[in-house]
């Protein structure tokens, strides 16, 4: 039975279902089997019979029973050995053991292997009927309790999924708002307008060429959209300066990384994204900032953003120079492999450019 079919069967078992009236009588003595089965049928039960433990297991594999009346001493496999095997086939099976001996250790062992009742032969039929009704009631309650617990579990799981989806929608809404803020900030400068969109496109392409899975590609894209959010807090006079920056101004520009991390800190669901933003100015040789990380100490997303950022900066027109062609930029960056750039990321960039995986990269 498949998991879905089993789950459906469990959820449909309720108190008083047809299976709760089906009883299997297991005894090697034919007169006892016939007498008990005839009595049960007269009281509205559907009774099956088996003359051995082996025959009982065969029936349980084919048919559904709610209760098993089981003799203890039988040729071959005993009733005590049968019970755990039978309940492994049907965990809902309620078992009443029948024995010719009123023996406390045997009764105790019967309960330990999964029986609910222990009756001695000869069995008073009214006592037997009362015992069957008791175990049937206990069985139905256990089945119903498990169904309720299962439904509660499913409800909790669904609500957890709904909460996580809600959190994700909220996080992505915040990402969109921040990315829009970055775009508005870039739009004030005709030479920077659209920079983040182009960095994002190249970063995505590099990640895909490197074989990153979909989740990592998505994280790289989100980090690319947000990597320069800290620049909205920098002085325009520094960002728009055409000449060389002073040491103080250079340090001021570097502040955009910790500022970005402060802005993004509430997005705790995006820890990998935050690490990519943190690392996007780290250099493969350890000469970058803010932490001077070296080689693979730098997150993969950070290494990809560093490469995409450099590529877009060089292929974008500035007031003091024209944009470089895509091929010239790739050639120029080859001198910085092992220094600024991770060799593997640079190789992916070469593929991105050679195969024209991203179009319209140069600024207007």
């Amino acid at each position: 039975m498949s998991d879905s079919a089993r789950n459906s069967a469990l959820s449909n078992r309720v108190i008083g279902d047809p299976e709760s009236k089906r009883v299997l009588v297991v005894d090697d003595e034919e007169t006892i089997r016939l007498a008990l089965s005839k009595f049960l049928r007269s009281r509205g039960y559907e009774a099956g019979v088996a003359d051995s433990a082996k025959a009982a297991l065969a029936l349980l594999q084919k048919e559904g029973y709610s209760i098993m009346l089981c003799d203890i001493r039988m040729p071959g496999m005993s009733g005590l050995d049968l019970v755990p095997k039978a309940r492994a086939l049907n965990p809902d099976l309620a078992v009443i053991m029948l024995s010719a001996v009123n023996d406390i250790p045997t009764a105790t062992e019967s309960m330990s292997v999964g029986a609910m009742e222990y009756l001695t032969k000869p069995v008073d039929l009214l006592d037997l009927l009362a015992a069957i009704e008791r175990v049937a009631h206990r069985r139905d309650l256990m089945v119903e309790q498990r169904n309720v617990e299962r439904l509660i579990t499913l409800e909790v799981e669904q609500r957890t999924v709904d909460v996580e989806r809600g959190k994700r929608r909220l996080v992505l809404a915040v990402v969109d708002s921040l990315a829009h803020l970055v775009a508005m900030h870039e739009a004030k400068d005709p030479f920077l307008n659209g920079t983040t969109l182009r960095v994002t496109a190249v970063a995505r392409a590099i990640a895909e060429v490197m074989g990153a899975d979909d989740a990592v590609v998505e994280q790289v894209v989100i980090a690319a959209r947000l990597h320069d959010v800290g620049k909205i807090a920098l002085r325009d006079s520094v960002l728009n300066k055409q000449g060389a920056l002073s040491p103080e101004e250079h340090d001021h520009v570097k502040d955009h990384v910790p500022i970005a991390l402060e802005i993004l800190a509430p997005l705790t669901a995006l820890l990998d994204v935050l690490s990519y933003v943190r690392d996007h100015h780290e250099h493969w040789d350890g000469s970058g900032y803010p932490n001077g990380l070296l080689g693979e100490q730098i997150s993969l997303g950070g290494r990809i953003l560093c490469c995409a950022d450099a590529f877009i900066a060089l292929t974008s027109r500035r007031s003091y120079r024209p944009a470089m062609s895509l091929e010239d930029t790739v050639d120029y960056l080859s001198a910085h492999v092992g220094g600024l750039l991770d060799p593997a990321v640079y190789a992916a960039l070469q593929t991105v450019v050679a195969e024209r995986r991203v179009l319209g990269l140069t600024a207007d």
Side-chain angles (χ1 to χ4, degrees):
M1 183 182 291
S2 67
D3 288 343
S4 61
R6 183 179 294 107
N7 289 339
S8 176
L10 286 175
S11 64
N12 289 330
R13 287 182 180 174
V14 295
I15 293 175
D17 70 2
E19 187 178 301
S20 68
K21 302 292 287 185
R22 305 195 75 226
V23 182
L24 177 61
V25 179
V26 186
D27 200 299
D28 61 317
E29 295 186 35
E30 184 177 8
T31 56
I32 294 177
R33 292 196 306 272
L34 293 177
L36 292 181
S37 60
K38 182 178 180 180
F39 170 73
L40 291 170
R41 292 185 188 112
S42 72
R43 294 306 177 108
Y45 288 91
E46 182 180 345
V49 295
D51 61 4
S52 67
K54 182 178 180 181
L57 290 174
L59 279 173
L60 289 170
Q61 286 180 322
K62 294 188 299 182
E63 303 178 27
Y65 289 93
S66 63
I67 299 170
M68 182 172 72
L69 305 181
C70 184
D71 187 22
I72 291 182
R73 295 181 181 176
M74 295 183 292
M77 187 187 304
S78 72
L80 293 174
D81 293 328
L82 168 61
V83 172
K85 295 180 183 296
R87 297 193 74 246
L89 292 174
N90 180 2
D92 298 327
L93 187 66
V95 179
I96 299 175
M97 302 302 290
L98 304 176
S99 174
V101 180
N102 187 6
D103 180 58
I104 293 178
T106 303
T108 302
E109 186 175 1
S110 298
M111 301 303 173
S112 70
V113 297
M116 290 184 180
E117 294 271 353
Y118 179 91
L119 301 177
T120 56
K121 300 177 183 179
V123 179
D124 182 273
L125 294 180
L126 292 180
D127 288 343
L128 175 63
L129 185 61
I132 289 175
E133 291 174 350
R134 285 196 300 272
V135 299
H137 183 65
R138 286 178 59 188
R139 169 196 176 271
D140 287 343
L141 288 179
M142 287 190 297
V143 170
E144 194 68 9
Q145 180 181 359
R146 188 182 61 246
N147 286 339
V148 170
E149 290 172 350
R150 177 177 170 273
L151 291 174
I152 291 173
T153 299
L154 291 174
E155 180 68 18
V156 170
E157 290 175 351
Q158 184 59 51
R159 291 191 181 189
T160 300
V161 169
D162 291 342
V163 168
E164 291 304 316
R165 286 175 178 168
K167 287 182 179 178
R168 178 169 177 76
R169 285 194 294 268
L170 179 59
V171 167
L172 293 180
V174 173
V175 169
D176 287 343
S177 297
L178 290 173
H180 182 64
L181 191 61
V182 171
M184 291 177 60
H185 185 260
E186 290 177 349
K188 296 188 298 182
D189 185 337
F191 297 105
L192 295 178
N193 190 23
T195 294
T196 293
L197 289 177
R198 294 192 291 276
V199 171
T200 300
V202 173
R204 178 199 292 272
I206 291 174
E208 290 173 344
V209 168
M210 295 185 74
D213 61 38
D214 291 344
V216 173
V217 172
E218 181 185 30
Q219 291 165 353
V220 168
V221 167
I222 293 174
R225 295 178 69 196
L226 301 178
H227 75 288
D228 271 348
V229 68
K231 287 185 177 179
I232 64 176
L234 301 186
R235 301 193 299 270
D236 288 340
S237 60
V238 174
L239 289 177
N240 300 331
K241 186 175 180 179
Q242 296 186 13
L245 299 179
S246 68
E248 184 276 331
E249 290 170 335
H250 192 63
D251 288 339
H252 179 65
V253 170
K254 288 182 178 181
D255 285 341
H256 81 278
V257 175
I259 292 172
L261 295 178
E262 286 184 28
I263 294 172
L264 301 176
L267 301 179
T268 55
L270 300 178
L271 292 180
D272 287 333
V273 169
L274 298 186
S275 71
Y276 298 171
V277 173
R278 180 198 65 210
D279 294 348
H280 78 276
H281 278 295
E282 299 288 356
H283 297 174
W284 183 253
D285 63 3
S287 63
Y289 67 88
N291 297 312
L293 300 180
L294 176 67
E296 292 188 358
Q297 292 177 341
I298 308 167
S299 62
L300 175 62
R303 285 176 265 153
I304 290 174
L305 289 179
C306 177
C307 183
D309 203 21
F311 179 79
I312 291 303
L314 293 169
T315 56
S316 298
R317 182 166 55 93
R318 296 290 185 259
S319 60
Y320 49 89
R321 63 162 174 81
M324 293 176 63
S325 71
L326 306 186
E327 289 74 13
D328 286 347
T329 301
V330 172
D331 289 341
Y332 175 83
L333 288 175
S334 66
H336 297 275
V337 174
L340 173 69
L341 304 178
D342 172 0
V345 175
Y346 173 76
L349 174 68
Q350 288 180 299
T351 300
V352 168
V353 173
E355 296 180 358
R356 289 297 190 269
R357 294 199 174 211
V358 179
L359 301 178
L361 292 177
T362 54
D364 294 334

